[in-house]
Coordinates of all heavy atoms in Angstrom, one line a residue:
Chain B
Y55 N -6.4 11.3 -15.6 CA -5.1 12.0 -16.1 C -5.1 11.8 -17.7 O -5.9 11.1 -18.2 CB -3.9 11.4 -15.5 CG -3.7 9.9 -15.6 CD1 -3.0 9.4 -16.7 CD2 -4.4 9.0 -14.8 CE1 -2.8 8.0 -16.8 CE2 -4.2 7.6 -14.9 CZ -3.4 7.1 -16.0 OH -3.3 5.8 -16.1
L56 N -4.2 12.5 -18.3 CA -4.2 12.6 -19.7 C -5.5 12.9 -20.3 O -5.9 12.4 -21.4 CB -3.6 11.3 -20.3 CG -2.1 11.0 -20.0 CD1 -1.7 9.7 -20.5 CD2 -1.2 12.1 -20.6
A57 N -6.3 13.7 -19.6 CA -7.6 14.3 -20.0 C -8.7 13.3 -20.0 O -9.9 13.7 -19.7 CB -7.5 15.0 -21.4
S58 N -8.4 12.0 -20.2 CA -9.5 11.1 -20.4 C -9.2 9.7 -19.8 O -10.1 8.8 -19.9 CB -9.9 10.9 -21.8 OG -8.8 10.5 -22.6
T59 N -8.1 9.5 -19.3 CA -7.7 8.2 -18.7 C -8.1 8.1 -17.2 O -7.6 8.9 -16.4 CB -6.2 7.9 -18.8 OG1 -5.8 8.0 -20.2 CG2 -5.9 6.5 -18.3
R60 N -9.0 7.2 -17.0 CA -9.5 7.0 -15.6 C -8.4 6.3 -14.7 O -7.9 5.3 -15.1 CB -10.8 6.2 -15.6 CG -11.7 6.4 -14.5 CD -13.0 5.6 -14.7 NE -13.8 6.1 -15.8 CZ -14.0 5.4 -16.9 NH1 -13.6 4.2 -17.0 NH2 -14.7 6.0 -17.9
E61 N -8.2 6.8 -13.5 CA -7.3 6.2 -12.6 C -7.9 4.9 -12.2 O -9.1 4.7 -12.1 CB -7.0 7.1 -11.4 CG -6.2 6.5 -10.3 CD -4.7 6.3 -10.6 OE1 -4.4 6.2 -11.8 OE2 -3.9 6.2 -9.6
S62 N -7.0 3.9 -11.9 CA -7.5 2.6 -11.4 C -8.4 2.7 -10.2 O -8.1 3.5 -9.3 CB -6.2 1.7 -11.1 OG -6.6 0.5 -10.5
G63 N -9.5 2.0 -10.2 CA -10.4 2.0 -9.1 C -11.5 3.2 -9.2 O -12.4 3.1 -8.3
V64 N -11.3 4.1 -10.1 CA -12.3 5.2 -10.2 C -13.6 4.7 -11.0 O -13.4 4.1 -12.0 CB -11.7 6.4 -10.9 CG1 -12.8 7.5 -11.2 CG2 -10.6 7.0 -10.1
P65 N -14.7 4.9 -10.4 CA -16.0 4.4 -11.1 C -16.1 4.9 -12.5 O -15.7 6.1 -12.8 CB -17.1 4.9 -10.2 CG -16.5 5.1 -8.8 CD -15.1 5.5 -9.1
D66 N -16.7 4.1 -13.4 CA -16.8 4.5 -14.8 C -17.8 5.6 -15.0 O -18.0 6.0 -16.2 CB -17.0 3.3 -15.7 CG -18.2 2.5 -15.4 OD1 -19.0 3.0 -14.5 OD2 -18.4 1.4 -15.9
R67 N -18.5 6.0 -14.0 CA -19.4 7.2 -14.2 C -18.7 8.5 -14.3 O -19.3 9.5 -14.6 CB -20.5 7.2 -13.0 CG -19.9 7.5 -11.6 CD -21.1 7.6 -10.6 NE -20.6 7.8 -9.3 CZ -20.2 6.9 -8.5 NH1 -20.2 5.6 -8.9 NH2 -19.7 7.2 -7.2
F68 N -17.4 8.5 -13.9 CA -16.5 9.7 -14.1 C -15.9 9.6 -15.5 O -15.1 8.7 -15.8 CB -15.5 9.7 -13.0 CG -16.0 10.0 -11.6 CD1 -16.4 8.9 -10.8 CD2 -16.2 11.3 -11.2 CE1 -16.9 9.2 -9.5 CE2 -16.7 11.6 -9.9 CZ -17.0 10.5 -9.1
I69 N -16.2 10.6 -16.3 CA -15.6 10.6 -17.7 C -15.0 11.9 -18.0 O -15.6 13.0 -17.8 CB -16.8 10.3 -18.7 CG1 -17.5 9.0 -18.4 CG2 -16.2 10.4 -20.1 CD1 -18.8 8.8 -19.1
G70 N -13.7 11.9 -18.4 CA -13.0 13.0 -18.8 C -12.9 13.1 -20.3 O -12.7 12.1 -21.0
S71 N -13.1 14.4 -20.8 CA -13.1 14.5 -22.3 C -12.5 15.9 -22.6 O -12.3 16.7 -21.7 CB -14.5 14.4 -22.9 OG -15.4 15.3 -22.4
G72 N -12.3 16.1 -23.9 CA -11.8 17.4 -24.3 C -10.4 17.4 -24.9 O -9.7 16.4 -24.7
S73 N -10.0 18.5 -25.5 CA -8.7 18.5 -26.1 C -8.3 20.0 -26.3 O -9.2 20.8 -26.4 CB -8.7 17.8 -27.4 OG -7.3 17.8 -28.0
G74 N -7.0 20.2 -26.4 CA -6.5 21.6 -26.6 C -6.7 22.5 -25.4 O -5.9 22.4 -24.5
T75 N -7.7 23.3 -25.4 CA -7.9 24.2 -24.3 C -9.2 24.0 -23.6 O -9.5 24.7 -22.5 CB -7.9 25.7 -24.8 OG1 -9.0 25.9 -25.8 CG2 -6.6 26.1 -25.5
D76 N -10.1 23.1 -24.0 CA -11.4 23.0 -23.4 C -11.6 21.5 -23.0 O -11.6 20.6 -23.8 CB -12.5 23.4 -24.4 CG -12.5 24.9 -24.6 OD1 -13.0 25.6 -23.8 OD2 -11.9 25.3 -25.7
F77 N -11.9 21.4 -21.7 CA -12.0 20.0 -21.1 C -13.3 19.9 -20.3 O -13.8 21.0 -19.7 CB -10.8 19.7 -20.3 CG -9.5 19.8 -21.1 CD1 -8.8 21.0 -21.2 CD2 -9.0 18.7 -21.8 CE1 -7.6 21.0 -22.0 CE2 -7.9 18.7 -22.5 CZ -7.2 19.9 -22.7
T78 N -13.7 18.7 -20.1 CA -15.0 18.5 -19.3 C -14.8 17.3 -18.5 O -14.3 16.2 -18.9 CB -16.1 18.3 -20.3 OG1 -16.3 19.5 -21.1 CG2 -17.4 18.0 -19.6
L79 N -15.3 17.4 -17.3 CA -15.5 16.2 -16.4 C -17.0 15.9 -16.3 O -17.7 16.8 -15.9 CB -14.9 16.4 -15.0 CG -15.1 15.3 -14.0 CD1 -14.4 14.0 -14.4 CD2 -14.7 15.7 -12.6
T80 N -17.4 14.8 -16.7 CA -18.8 14.4 -16.6 C -19.0 13.3 -15.6 O -18.3 12.4 -15.6 CB -19.4 13.9 -18.0 OG1 -19.2 14.9 -19.0 CG2 -20.8 13.5 -17.9
I81 N -20.0 13.5 -14.7 CA -20.3 12.5 -13.7 C -21.7 12.1 -14.0 O -22.7 12.9 -13.9 CB -20.2 13.1 -12.3 CG1 -18.9 13.8 -12.1 CG2 -20.4 11.9 -11.3 CD1 -18.8 14.5 -10.7
S82 N -21.9 10.9 -14.5 CA -23.2 10.4 -14.8 C -23.8 9.7 -13.6 O -23.1 9.1 -12.7 CB -23.1 9.4 -16.0 OG -22.3 8.3 -15.6
S83 N -25.1 9.9 -13.4 CA -25.9 9.3 -12.3 C -25.2 9.6 -11.0 O -24.7 8.7 -10.3 CB -26.0 7.8 -12.5 OG -26.9 7.3 -11.5
V84 N -25.1 10.9 -10.6 CA -24.4 11.3 -9.4 C -24.9 10.6 -8.2 O -26.2 10.4 -8.0 CB -24.6 12.9 -9.2 CG1 -24.1 13.3 -7.8 CG2 -23.8 13.6 -10.3
Q85 N -24.0 10.2 -7.3 CA -24.4 9.6 -6.1 C -24.0 10.5 -4.9 O -23.1 11.4 -5.1 CB -23.6 8.2 -6.0 CG -24.0 7.3 -7.1 CD -23.4 5.9 -6.9 OE1 -22.8 5.5 -5.9 NE2 -23.5 5.1 -8.0
A86 N -24.6 10.2 -3.8 CA -24.3 11.1 -2.6 C -22.8 11.1 -2.3 O -22.3 12.2 -1.9 CB -25.1 10.6 -1.4
E87 N -22.1 10.1 -2.5 CA -20.7 10.0 -2.2 C -19.8 10.9 -3.1 O -18.6 11.0 -2.9 CB -20.2 8.6 -2.3 CG -20.2 8.0 -3.7 CD -20.2 6.5 -3.7 OE1 -21.0 5.9 -3.0 OE2 -19.4 5.9 -4.4
D88 N -20.4 11.4 -4.2 CA -19.7 12.2 -5.2 C -19.7 13.7 -4.8 O -19.0 14.5 -5.4 CB -20.3 12.1 -6.6 CG -20.3 10.6 -7.1 OD1 -19.4 9.9 -6.7 OD2 -21.2 10.3 -7.9
L89 N -20.4 14.0 -3.7 CA -20.5 15.4 -3.3 C -19.1 15.8 -2.8 O -18.6 15.2 -1.8 CB -21.6 15.6 -2.3 CG -23.0 15.2 -2.8 CD1 -24.0 15.4 -1.7 CD2 -23.3 16.0 -4.0
A90 N -18.5 16.7 -3.4 CA -17.1 17.1 -3.1 C -16.7 18.3 -4.0 O -17.5 18.8 -4.7 CB -16.2 15.9 -3.5
N91 N -15.4 18.7 -3.8 CA -14.9 19.7 -4.7 C -14.1 19.0 -5.8 O -13.4 18.0 -5.5 CB -13.9 20.7 -3.9 CG -14.7 21.6 -3.0 OD1 -15.5 22.4 -3.5 ND2 -14.5 21.6 -1.7
Y92 N -14.1 19.6 -7.0 CA -13.4 19.0 -8.1 C -12.5 20.0 -8.7 O -12.9 21.2 -8.9 CB -14.4 18.5 -9.2 CG -15.2 17.3 -8.7 CD1 -16.4 17.5 -7.9 CD2 -14.8 16.0 -8.9 CE1 -17.1 16.4 -7.4 CE2 -15.5 14.9 -8.5 CZ -16.6 15.1 -7.7 OH -17.3 14.0 -7.2
Y93 N -11.3 19.6 -9.0 CA -10.2 20.5 -9.5 C -9.6 19.9 -10.8 O -9.3 18.7 -10.8 CB -9.1 20.7 -8.5 CG -9.5 21.3 -7.2 CD1 -9.9 20.6 -6.1 CD2 -9.5 22.7 -7.1 CE1 -10.2 21.2 -4.9 CE2 -9.8 23.3 -5.9 CZ -10.2 22.5 -4.8 OH -10.6 23.1 -3.6
C94 N -9.4 20.8 -11.7 CA -8.6 20.4 -12.9 C -7.2 20.9 -12.7 O -6.9 21.9 -11.9 CB -9.2 20.9 -14.2 SG -9.3 22.7 -14.3
Q95 N -6.2 20.3 -13.3 CA -4.8 20.7 -13.2 C -4.1 20.5 -14.5 O -4.3 19.4 -15.2 CB -4.1 19.8 -12.1 CG -2.6 20.1 -12.0 CD -1.7 18.9 -11.9 OE1 -2.2 17.8 -11.6 NE2 -0.4 19.1 -12.0
Q96 N -3.4 21.5 -15.0 CA -2.5 21.3 -16.2 C -1.1 20.9 -15.8 O -0.6 21.5 -14.8 CB -2.6 22.5 -17.1 CG -1.9 23.8 -16.5 CD -0.4 23.8 -16.7 OE1 0.2 23.0 -17.5 NE2 0.3 24.7 -16.0
Y97 N -0.5 20.0 -16.5 CA 0.9 19.7 -16.3 C 1.6 19.7 -17.6 O 2.6 19.0 -17.8 CB 1.1 18.3 -15.6 CG 0.3 17.2 -16.2 CD1 0.8 16.3 -17.1 CD2 -1.0 17.0 -15.8 CE1 0.1 15.3 -17.6 CE2 -1.8 15.9 -16.3 CZ -1.2 15.1 -17.2 OH -1.9 14.0 -17.7
Y98 N 1.2 20.6 -18.5 CA 1.8 20.8 -19.8 C 3.1 21.6 -19.6 O 4.1 21.3 -20.3 CB 0.9 21.6 -20.7 CG 1.5 21.9 -22.1 CD1 1.4 20.9 -23.1 CD2 2.1 23.1 -22.3 CE1 1.9 21.2 -24.3 CE2 2.6 23.3 -23.6 CZ 2.5 22.4 -24.6 OH 3.1 22.7 -25.8
D99 N 3.1 22.5 -18.7 CA 4.3 23.4 -18.5 C 4.3 23.8 -17.0 O 3.3 24.1 -16.4 CB 4.2 24.6 -19.4 CG 5.6 25.3 -19.5 OD1 6.6 24.7 -19.1 OD2 5.6 26.5 -19.9
T100 N 5.5 23.9 -16.5 CA 5.6 24.5 -15.1 C 5.6 26.0 -15.2 O 6.1 26.6 -16.2 CB 7.0 24.0 -14.5 OG1 8.1 24.5 -15.3 CG2 7.0 22.5 -14.3
P101 N 5.1 26.6 -14.2 CA 4.5 26.0 -13.0 C 3.1 25.4 -13.3 O 2.3 26.0 -14.0 CB 4.3 27.2 -12.0 CG 4.1 28.4 -13.0 CD 5.0 28.1 -14.1
Y102 N 3.0 24.1 -12.9 CA 1.7 23.5 -13.0 C 0.6 24.3 -12.3 O 0.9 24.8 -11.2 CB 1.8 22.0 -12.5 CG 2.8 21.2 -13.2 CD1 3.4 20.1 -12.6 CD2 3.2 21.4 -14.6 CE1 4.3 19.3 -13.2 CE2 4.1 20.6 -15.2 CZ 4.7 19.6 -14.5 OH 5.6 18.8 -15.2
T103 N -0.5 24.3 -12.8 CA -1.6 25.1 -12.2 C -2.9 24.4 -12.1 O -3.2 23.5 -12.9 CB -1.8 26.4 -13.0 OG1 -1.8 26.1 -14.4 CG2 -0.6 27.4 -12.7
F104 N -3.7 24.7 -11.1 CA -5.0 24.2 -10.8 C -6.1 25.2 -11.2 O -5.9 26.4 -11.1 CB -5.1 23.8 -9.3 CG -4.3 22.6 -8.9 CD1 -3.0 22.9 -8.4 CD2 -4.8 21.3 -8.9 CE1 -2.2 21.8 -8.0 CE2 -4.0 20.3 -8.5 CZ -2.7 20.5 -8.0
G105 N -7.2 24.6 -11.5 CA -8.4 25.5 -11.5 C -8.9 25.8 -10.1 O -8.4 25.2 -9.1
A106 N -9.8 26.8 -10.0 CA -10.2 27.3 -8.7 C -11.1 26.3 -8.0 O -11.4 26.4 -6.8 CB -10.9 28.6 -8.8
G107 N -11.6 25.3 -8.7 CA -12.5 24.3 -8.1 C -13.9 24.5 -8.4 O -14.4 25.6 -8.7
T108 N -14.7 23.3 -8.4 CA -16.1 23.3 -8.5 C -16.7 22.5 -7.3 O -16.3 21.4 -7.1 CB -16.5 22.7 -9.8 OG1 -16.1 23.4 -10.9 CG2 -18.0 22.5 -9.9
K109 N -17.6 23.1 -6.6 CA -18.2 22.5 -5.4 C -19.5 21.8 -5.9 O -20.4 22.5 -6.3 CB -18.4 23.5 -4.3 CG -18.9 22.8 -3.0 CD -18.9 23.8 -1.9 CE -19.3 23.2 -0.6 NZ -19.3 24.1 0.5

Side-chain angles (χ1 to χ4, degrees):
Chain B
Y55 58 95
L56 295 174
S58 60
T59 302
R60 204 176 295 116
E61 172 72 335
S62 175
V64 173
D66 59 9
R67 64 179 180 275
F68 291 90
I69 300 167
S71 62
S73 184
T75 62
D76 292 283
F77 301 90
T78 298
L79 175 68
T80 301
I81 311 172
S82 58
S83 189
V84 167
Q85 300 184 11
E87 67 199 52
D88 300 335
L89 302 179
N91 286 300
Y92 292 85
Y93 297 92
C94 59
Q95 178 222 347
Q96 67 81 16
Y97 49 94
Y98 179 85
D99 192 18
T100 59
Y102 300 152
T103 45
F104 291 90
T108 296
K109 185 173 184 177

